[in-house]
Amino acid sequence: MMASLHKTLAENLPLRIKDPEAKSSDLNVTRQFLKDNGIDAVPVEGSPLSDLVRTLPDFSDADFDVNELMVN
């Protein structure tokens, strides 16, 4: 039964996250499923993950101002 549940999740999670109506909880379930199964990703140049990483602030930069993250 556990194998069947695992298989069903693995088959259906991609469909859920591709749905335009996907919610953050759908993404979080998928993230946790991948983590629990030892699936990691490395940001390879030109990949969507690499593009996402590039948008993150450099917290090690001495000139970084945390107030820039505040939402008004």
Side-chain angles (χ1 to χ4, degrees), residues 20-31:
E21 300 293 319
K23 297 182 175 34
S24 59
S25 59
D26 297 318
L27 300 175
N28 194 46
V29 167
T30 304
R31 179 202 56 79

Side-chain angles (χ1 to χ4, degrees), residues 4-27:
S4 176
L5 287 171
H6 192 272
K7 180 178 184 239
T8 300
L9 270 174
E11 291 172 345
N12 286 287
L13 286 173
L15 302 173
R16 294 287 299 267
I17 63 172
K18 290 178 183 177
D19 183 338
E21 300 293 319
K23 297 182 175 34
S24 59
S25 59
D26 297 318
L27 300 175

Side-chain angles (χ1 to χ4, degrees), residues 34-35 38-42:
L34 293 170
K35 181 179 179 185
I39 307 298
D40 294 323
V42 177

